[in-house]
């Protein structure tokens, strides 16, 4: 049961699409005005767990931390950093009381969850205009499902987007992409798609291609399609200010850019130099931006990632003096650049304006919705441009954006802590309606190791978005660059053998408003021992993943809340053994994976394939000791989704 309490005149975020009755009084929390801000407080009980705030640092249980919803382009993924790229203002209190609460405001919100042992949840909203949704339910799982249903049906990618993707900041020409395809084919490692990072563009300009390095993009897309590989270009938020740039000219004609205080267009320095930001809050501007994707779809492209949409700003007119000089020096000496100081960024965010619902909004006050509305613009545009599904994922997001596309979790590092962080983000993202999600496998910053990449792949094998991505100054990170590619083949092929299950479970979750990845405690709420387990996750209805995420380890201990079937995959066969409730030690060498199947559940697996185009829905083996499995299978492309596609396997 969801109700909403309205404070002031909230901005329409469209985070929730269900009709929600209005309540007079806020339950659970106390409200106080704190100057121009609003403070919400709740006294925690000793054993309460607090879920939510999906794209933040720290644990799945947010207790003990301070988090700030203020979308930020930051590669500092350490616990002292309160803000990453997204704002998902959901809390679920699980303990003495059970409820969810969603602070629906695009302005800055600070959350202190038993911070410095205060014993309180303190939520400070910078704006007094907001909707607060309160969600009552008998369990945290029920509360999360209730919220997902109220958000509305989550984004459904094509089947090929569940295949493995390779990416790197630095693939510069057609040959770089051919090399990737060849590398994977020679090693026999499955692959479905390759990302094109900003290097494909003409001088980093959106909706353009460097003609020297990609003389005929449409023909190249076709060439790749013959290998069953899709190209997935990046699109940044800022549009280069340059007469002759057709997107810039169209944006001016359509009056689609954000304006500054003086009524001119706001200028922000990003990768292509000076840009204007499309006013994604304005429906007309969104419609225009969506149409621009025709540039790619006409060339046969069906997948995209949206970046820099917090929005990131390297430099602006409001930053005079040395910073400006730095910018030009940086432009000359490679792209190395100093991050804008936070103070300057705030000044920039206070210097431009949006038009929505016949009103003018200062960017700073609606900051956290910007990236989400870029995703919406792209998604609604692509829906018109393409007759079938497309891949779309974004760096910045807000609750509700999960209806339009997926998310990746930004510039992590090649370290074991961030592999664990990936595991922690997954259930939390699912609670907030982001089912198609994942991290940069192998790590974005720094040099990965063979061992880290293999262990990371064995985690990503279970996340809907499985993409190996790295930065421009790091070592080669494609799987075939390492010795002993057999082990990489083994782990990536595990993903492809699990595809019938993963796809089917994703579709069922998406069509019923369920979560795809859940914490153990959501399924076994009565078992005290699972309350703190964050390195075992439930994937779909039947799998408990139990990856090894410690350097040098080949064993780990696993807690089983019930009798299950242990499954070990060695690259060729699945070996099933009954495992008893309690703590067991499992062993998985590099190139192997161990997971469990819940009691009474089945998991369909297919034969080994190297591309989603080879998926075989007929010859499935059912793992697990249960009875039947309800398989969702369709062509993976049309939008005629329906639970009528379910069929029972025995
Ligand atoms: O300023 O496009 O998070 O995935 O490779 C960096 C280059 C811009 C940040 C993204 C990253 C991408 C990179 N981008």
């Amino acid at each position: 049961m969801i109700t909403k309490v309205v404070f002031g005149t909230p901005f329409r975020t469209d985070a929730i699409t269900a009709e929600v009755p209005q309540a007079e009084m806020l339950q659970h929390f106390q409200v106080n005005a704190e100057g121009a801000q609003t403070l919400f407080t709740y006294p925690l009980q000793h054993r309460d767990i607090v879920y939510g705030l999906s794209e933040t640092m720290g644990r799945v249980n947010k207790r003990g931390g301070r988090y700030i919803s203020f979308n930020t382009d930051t590669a500092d993924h350490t616990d002292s950093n309160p803000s990453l790229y997204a704002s998902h203002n959901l809390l679920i209190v699980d303990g003495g009381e059970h409820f969810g609460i969603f602070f629906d405001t695009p302005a800055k919100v600070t959350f202190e969850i038993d911070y410095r042992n205060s014993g309180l949840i303190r939520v400070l909203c910078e704006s007094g205009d907001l909707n607060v949704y309160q969600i009552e339910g008998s369990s945290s799982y029920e509360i999360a499902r209730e919220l997902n249903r109220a958000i509305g049906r989550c984004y459904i990618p094509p089947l090929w987007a569940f295949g493995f993707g390779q990416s790197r900041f630095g693939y510069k020409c057609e040959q770089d992409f051919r090399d990737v395809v060849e590398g994977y084919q020679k090693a026999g490692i499955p692959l479905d798609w390759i990302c094109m990072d900003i290097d494909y563009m003409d001088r980093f300009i959106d909706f353009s291609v460097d003609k020297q390095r990609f003389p005929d993009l449409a023909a190249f897309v076709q060439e790749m399609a013959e290998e069953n590989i899709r190209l997935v270009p990046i699109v940044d938020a800022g549009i280069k200010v340059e007469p002759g740039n057709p997107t810039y000219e169209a944006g001016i004609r359509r009056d689609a850019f954000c304006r500054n205080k003086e009524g001119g267009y706001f200028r922000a320095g990003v990768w292509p130099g000076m840009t204007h930001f499309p006013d994604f809050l304005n429906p007309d501007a969104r419609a225009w931006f969506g149409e621009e994707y025709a540039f790619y779809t006409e060339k046969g492209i069906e997948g995209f990632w949206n970046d820099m949409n917090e929005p990131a700003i390297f430099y602006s007119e409001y930053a005079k003096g040395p910073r400006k000089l730095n910018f030009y020096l940086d432009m000359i000496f490679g792209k190395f650049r100093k991050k804008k100081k936070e103070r300057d960024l705030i000044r920039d965010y206070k210097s431009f304006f949006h038009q929505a619902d016949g009103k003018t909004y200062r960017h700073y006050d609606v900051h956290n919705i910007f990236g989400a509305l870029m995703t919406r613009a792209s998604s609604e545009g692509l829906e018109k441009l393409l007759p079938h599904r497309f891949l779309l994922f974004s760096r910045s997001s807000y609750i509700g954006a999960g209806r339009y596309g997926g998310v990746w979790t930004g510039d992590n590092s090649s370290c074991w802590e961030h592999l664990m962080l990936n595991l922690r983000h997954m259930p939390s993202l699912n609670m907030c309606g982001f089912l198609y999600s994942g991290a940069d496998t192998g790590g974005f910053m720094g040099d990965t190791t063979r061992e880290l990449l293999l262990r990371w792949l064995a985690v990503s094998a279970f996340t809907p978005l499985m993409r190996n991505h790295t930065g421009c100054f790091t070592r080669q990170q494609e799987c075939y660059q390492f010795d002993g590619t057999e082990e990489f083949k083994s782990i990536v092929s595990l993903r492809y053998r699990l595809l019938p299950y993963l796809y089917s479970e994703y579709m069922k979750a998406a069509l019923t408003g369920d979560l795809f990845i859940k914490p153990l405690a959501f399924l076994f709420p009565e078992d005290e021992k699972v309350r703190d387990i964050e390195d075992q996750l439930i994937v779909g209805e039947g799998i408990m993943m139990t990856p090894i995420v410690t350097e040098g380890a080949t064993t780990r201990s696993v807690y089983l809340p019930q009798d299950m079937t242990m499954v070990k995959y060695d690259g060729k066969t699945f070996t099933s053994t009954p495992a008893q409730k309690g703590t067991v030690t499992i062993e998985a060498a590099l190139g192997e994976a161990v997971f469990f199947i819940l009691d009474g559940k089945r998991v369909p697996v297919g034969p080994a394939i190297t591309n989603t185009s080879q998926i075989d829905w007929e010859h499935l083996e059912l793992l697990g000791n249960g009875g039947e499995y309800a398989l969702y299978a369709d062509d993976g492309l049309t939008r005629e989704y329906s639970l009528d596609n379910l069929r029972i396997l025995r």
Side-chain angles (χ1 to χ4, degrees):
M1 164 78 178
I2 304 197
T3 51
K4 87 172 164 190
V5 183
V6 182
F7 294 86
T9 333
F11 174 80
R12 253 194 63 186
T13 64
D14 288 333
I16 301 291
T17 57
E19 285 289 334
V20 171
Q22 202 166 319
E24 288 305 312
M25 276 278 295
L26 197 62
Q27 309 284 312
H28 312 289
F29 275 78
Q30 238 188 36
V31 195
N32 295 93
E34 181 126 315
Q37 313 189 344
T38 320
L39 177 68
F40 299 85
T41 44
Y42 174 77
L44 281 164
Q45 297 184 28
H46 180 60
R47 292 277 296 138
D48 288 352
I49 284 181
V50 182
Y51 295 108
L53 301 178
S54 19
E55 231 188 82
T56 55
M57 295 303 302
R59 293 163 41 90
V60 178
N61 180 359
K62 304 320 286 186
R63 237 185 134 128
R66 180 166 175 270
Y67 314 90
I68 301 178
S69 284
F70 196 73
N71 296 351
T72 305
D73 169 19
T74 173
D76 173 23
H77 296 192
T78 58
D79 281 351
S80 57
N81 184 356
S83 309
L84 299 180
Y85 313 86
S87 295
H88 304 159
N89 301 334
L90 169 75
L91 302 176
I92 298 177
V93 174
D94 180 321
E97 293 187 295
H98 261 109
F99 64 91
I101 185 161
F102 165 36
F103 299 88
D104 186 11
T105 163
K108 181 170 168 177
V109 185
T110 303
F111 295 87
E112 295 179 356
I113 319 283
D114 194 17
Y115 183 53
R116 296 180 174 155
N117 301 317
S118 68
L120 298 172
I121 296 180
R122 287 166 46 92
V123 181
L124 188 65
C125 294
E126 277 215 353
S127 163
D129 297 316
L130 72 158
N131 288 314
V132 180
Y133 291 89
Q134 33 196 22
I135 313 148
E136 306 294 330
S138 54
S139 67
S140 292
Y141 191 15
E142 190 42 49
I143 289 163
R145 276 186 292 204
E146 185 84 40
L147 177 70
N148 276 15
R149 289 191 291 260
I151 291 169
R153 201 195 61 223
C154 93
Y155 158 74
I156 296 183
L159 173 66
W160 63 264
F162 290 86
F164 180 47
Q166 178 60 52
S167 183
R168 178 184 182 85
F169 180 5
Y171 294 148
K172 288 205 164 49
C173 56
E174 291 181 349
Q175 195 51 43
D176 287 346
F177 291 86
R178 290 190 189 106
D179 289 347
V180 171
V181 175
E182 198 193 307
Y184 274 95
Q185 285 175 350
K186 276 198 173 147
I189 303 169
L191 188 70
D192 262 83
W193 48 285
I194 310 177
C195 283
M196 307 178 85
D197 207 322
I198 52 174
D199 314 271
Y200 78 83
M201 300 176 188
D202 169 23
R203 294 169 294 138
F204 307 133
I205 300 174
D206 278 352
F207 309 107
S208 84
V209 178
D210 185 297
K211 280 271 149 36
Q212 243 85 60
R213 293 179 284 112
F214 298 91
D216 185 347
L217 183 59
F220 189 56
V221 168
Q222 190 50 41
E223 179 188 325
M224 289 285 126
E226 278 154 28
E227 307 291 331
N228 285 310
I229 298 295
R230 259 98 174 178
L231 292 175
V232 175
I234 194 170
V235 177
D236 283 357
I239 301 302
K240 184 174 176 68
V241 177
E242 185 174 81
N245 170 8
T247 313
Y248 163 75
E249 290 180 346
I252 298 284
R253 255 194 332 270
R254 302 275 287 257
D255 192 14
F257 293 126
C258 293
R259 292 187 180 269
N260 61 22
K261 282 194 188 79
E262 294 77 36
Y265 292 116
F266 178 73
R267 293 155 68 90
V270 206
W271 283 103
M274 275 302 183
T275 68
H276 290 331
F277 289 137
D279 184 357
F280 294 118
L281 275 72
N282 175 345
D284 296 332
R286 280 206 297 275
W288 158 70
F289 192 77
E291 289 162 22
E292 289 292 313
Y293 281 74
F295 175 84
Y296 303 103
T297 55
E298 282 163 2
K299 298 175 176 63
I301 289 171
E302 304 164 41
F304 303 88
W305 48 313
N306 284 345
D307 191 20
M308 307 300 274
N309 49 359
E310 293 71 28
I313 303 178
F314 295 163
Y315 148 83
S316 76
E317 294 176 302
Y318 298 89
K320 308 275 189 225
R323 276 195 333 127
K324 184 165 183 171
L325 193 67
N326 268 342
F327 179 76
Y328 285 113
L329 288 177
D330 291 343
M331 287 295 278
I332 295 162
F333 298 112
K335 286 284 162 189
F336 207 81
R337 68 213 146 67
K338 288 225 165 59
K339 271 280 150 63
K340 278 173 67 74
K341 292 221 181 69
E342 199 185 318
R343 176 169 38 86
D344 296 329
L345 254 181
I346 300 295
R347 183 159 59 165
D348 287 339
Y349 290 152
K350 289 184 173 171
S351 310
F352 68 97
F353 298 86
H354 299 276
Q355 301 292 329
D357 310 326
K359 282 190 219 148
T360 301
Y361 293 90
R362 183 173 71 158
H363 175 78
Y364 178 80
D365 302 320
V366 291
H367 173 69
N368 292 336
I369 196 83
F370 185 82
L373 292 177
M374 178 187 183
T375 308
R376 178 171 177 177
S378 323
S379 189
E380 290 178 339
L382 289 166
E383 227 161 80
K384 294 199 186 96
L385 289 166
L386 292 170
H388 50 249
R389 300 180 220 173
F390 46 83
L391 170 57
L392 177 65
F393 58 101
S394 169
R395 193 170 69 176
S396 185
S397 61
Y398 183 84
I399 287 184
R403 292 193 303 272
Y404 301 104
V407 290
W408 94 99
T409 51
D411 301 345
N412 59 7
S413 297
S414 298
C415 64
W416 292 85
E417 288 75 13
H418 286 178
L419 173 53
M420 190 57 217
L421 180 65
N422 184 184
L423 275 180
R424 289 180 165 138
H425 277 154
M426 294 312 299
S428 309
L429 284 166
N430 275 262
M431 292 174 208
C432 295
F434 295 92
L435 271 54
Y436 189 80
S437 48
D440 287 355
T441 302
F444 180 80
M445 312 280 291
D447 291 338
T448 200
T449 64
R450 181 175 187 276
E451 183 190 1
L452 178 59
L453 180 56
L454 275 165
R455 292 301 189 199
W456 209 318
L457 287 163
V459 165
S460 305
F462 295 91
T463 68
L465 167 62
M466 183 189 191
R467 177 179 72 143
N468 177 343
H469 179 50
T470 187
C472 56
F473 298 121
T474 65
R475 64 160 297 170
Q476 303 297 311
Q477 194 170 289
E478 300 81 13
C479 299
Y480 57 84
Q481 304 281 4
F482 299 82
D483 293 339
T485 50
E486 272 304 310
E487 288 170 352
F488 289 89
K489 182 177 167 184
S490 163
I491 298 298
V492 183
S493 78
L494 167 66
R495 160 63 163 230
Y496 279 74
R497 296 197 67 179
L498 284 170
L499 268 177
Y501 173 77
L502 297 173
Y503 179 76
S504 166
E505 289 301 304
Y506 185 98
M507 293 302 290
K508 288 193 276 183
L511 295 177
T512 58
D514 204 341
L515 284 65
F516 177 72
I517 296 188
K518 298 143 276 205
L520 231 53
F522 274 26
L523 269 86
F524 302 98
E526 278 90 47
D527 190 334
E528 283 290 313
K529 291 205 182 99
V530 306
R531 281 175 74 79
D532 290 316
I533 296 181
E534 302 193 339
D535 59 356
Q536 303 175 206
L537 293 170
I538 304 292
V539 180
E541 61 173 36
I543 285 183
M544 176 172 77
M545 64 184 281
T546 53
I548 288 180
V549 292
T550 310
E551 185 169 17
T554 52
T555 63
R556 61 161 285 177
S557 90
V558 170
Y559 176 70
L560 305 183
Q562 58 169 213
D563 292 353
M564 295 187 188
T565 303
M566 182 176 92
V567 181
K568 184 165 187 167
Y569 186 66
D570 63 3
K572 293 197 173 61
T573 36
F574 292 96
T575 310
S576 299
T577 345
Q580 270 173 17
K581 180 177 156 105
T583 303
V584 300
T585 298
I586 60 163
E587 186 177 4
L590 287 179
E592 295 181 336
V594 174
F595 59 93
F596 291 81
I597 300 180
L598 273 54
D599 189 40
K601 301 291 181 192
R602 307 303 297 270
V603 170
V605 295
I609 52 174
T610 55
N611 187 274
T612 55
S613 59
Q614 301 153 2
I615 197 160
D616 178 351
W617 293 106
E618 301 308 320
H619 300 96
L620 301 175
E621 181 190 343
L622 281 184
L623 305 176
N625 67 357
E628 30 183 67
Y629 178 76
L631 179 79
Y632 184 100
D634 63 10
D635 67 359
L637 207 58
T638 59
R639 297 180 187 145
E640 318 292 306
Y641 334 103
S642 153
L643 289 173
D644 293 345
N645 291 329
L646 285 174
R647 62 188 140 99
I648 302 299
L649 305 181
R650 288 192 179 85

